[in-house]
Amino acid sequence: MEILHVSAECYPVAKAGGLADVVGALPKYQNELGHYSKVVMPMHKTEFLHQHSWDLIHKGYFDFDGETTRYTIIKEKTNVLGFELYCVDVFGLLDRDKIYGYPDDHIRFLVFQRAVIDWLMQWELLPDVVHVHDHHTGLIPFFMKYGYAYQRLNKIKTVLTVHNAQYQGWMNWSNTKYFPEWDNWKAGLLEWNNQINPLASAIKCVDRVTTVSESYMKELFHAANGLETLFAYESNKCFGVVNGIDFNVWNPQTDDKLFFNYSEKNISIGKQYNKENLCTQFGFDANLPLFIFIGRLVGEKAADLLPESIKQALSLYPSQFNFLVLGNGEPSIETELSYLQLNGYGYFNTQIAFNENLSHQMYASADFLLMPSRVEPCGLNQLYALRYGTMPIVRRTGGLKDTVIDIGDKDGFGICFEQASVQDIVDSIGRAIYLYQNTTSMLSFRKKMMHINHSWENSAEKYIKIYQTIS
Ligand code: GLC
């Protein structure tokens, strides 16, 4: 089967979050299963672009609100990622340093989507499936079906994966001036609550909707930032497929970002070496349990609860643990965390940054990873933690609920709690500190965690099965 994934991000080319990790791994595993899966994304100006060689594949143009817009498609020469990687360049719009965060983002992603379908029209043999990811690519299925100039594409099967339904790409109707000519009778397929809603449009137009865990799929029927009734209406074509992780990238035995590589056999010493190194860097005592939080500092991840929870835990369990936070996001949370650092008596530290290398070192060094998320479609960090023998402490929601079992339950290996509240977080930190004192239990849990197989193989196969039901 031939599959074209369309995404705003792809690891290691350009990453803002978990979406990149999924798009950087799933196609590779689909290829290993004998399929022909590729990726097209915007040509962000990242290091990867400069470090690799590219072939010029196609140059094209289309009319964009009365102006001729030219685009270029380039392809990474060696398929270094395990799949063909194509990037779309539109001068001045897509060749920027950041993936998101510009006032004209909606125009940038409209141009990207227009270029993708325009390029697709040039293919001699069309792919079996166009698989779009999140709202940035959500108008493609509509354009393929109802754009007058793109009728050649209207038989291609389409799949949408919802990585996060909180963001939907809302825009007002004046933006239709940037659309290719389309069948106006079909305006209803663009709309939700009187606005153009690219995520809703994709849900309406695609053949299959997937999301990144089964529990999140169920949650979307009653909590989807306004789209609940749409998900319910389209429920027959909706499926939850839990994400995997790239076992080659996330492997403590070979990870070149670590101070010291280790396997299940030498896990105690391996983690201790990494921990000592990291603790020296952050002024921590390596004999105490090390807790970490890695992620965007936003309400969705319940990062607003971190300062108060850590403060209370520090006063309840003084000098009994270290806590390191890595991430950036809402300025008020960043400020509170920096303030706590000044008053954390050396047991709390924070890096307000996005730092891929440090995150790997943290998974290898830490004893516990905290994820109190209010919303977590899948969550990958808990899966990375397991692979590195680090115990996840998670709120039972979305993908966290599907991938972590509490140590109090049969076959358990993690710590789970119900509410995104300071109380639940502090209690869980207490449970973890208590557990840490039992070195025999800790060791056996670590081994158990490292045995859990969340590689992409199973889930990549599930996606293929979903494609097969429509082709
Ligand atoms: C989004 C979700 C996260 C998920 C990731 C990859 O970032 O918030 O839960 O793991 O996408 O699907």
Side-chain angles (χ1 to χ4, degrees), residues 1-4 35-36 123 125-131 144 155-159 207 467 470-471:
M1 238 182 198
E2 185 171 346
I3 307 120
L4 177 68
H35 299 278
Y36 184 22
W123 291 26
L125 286 177
L126 295 174
D128 299 293
V129 177
V130 169
H131 189 150
M144 284 168 61
K155 296 272 171 333
I156 305 177
K157 301 298 174 189
T158 49
V159 174
D207 297 291
Y467 304 151
I470 49 178
S471 53

Side-chain angles (χ1 to χ4, degrees), residues 390-409:
T390 300
M391 185 175 280
I393 304 180
V394 304
R395 175 167 174 252
R396 276 200 185 94
T397 186
L400 298 174
K401 188 168 157 186
D402 294 355
T403 55
V404 182
I405 305 174
D406 190 88
I407 48 172
D409 295 333

Side-chain angles (χ1 to χ4, degrees), residues 17-22 134 161-164 167 212 243 296 300-301 371 375-382 399:
L19 166 65
D21 291 352
V22 171
D134 276 353
T161 293
V162 179
H163 295 263
N164 195 334
Y167 308 98
V212 290
N243 285 332
R296 283 179 299 126
E300 206 183 315
K301 305 284 176 198
M371 292 182 78
V375 182
E376 196 60 82
C378 176
L380 295 170
N381 293 3
Q382 81 279 16

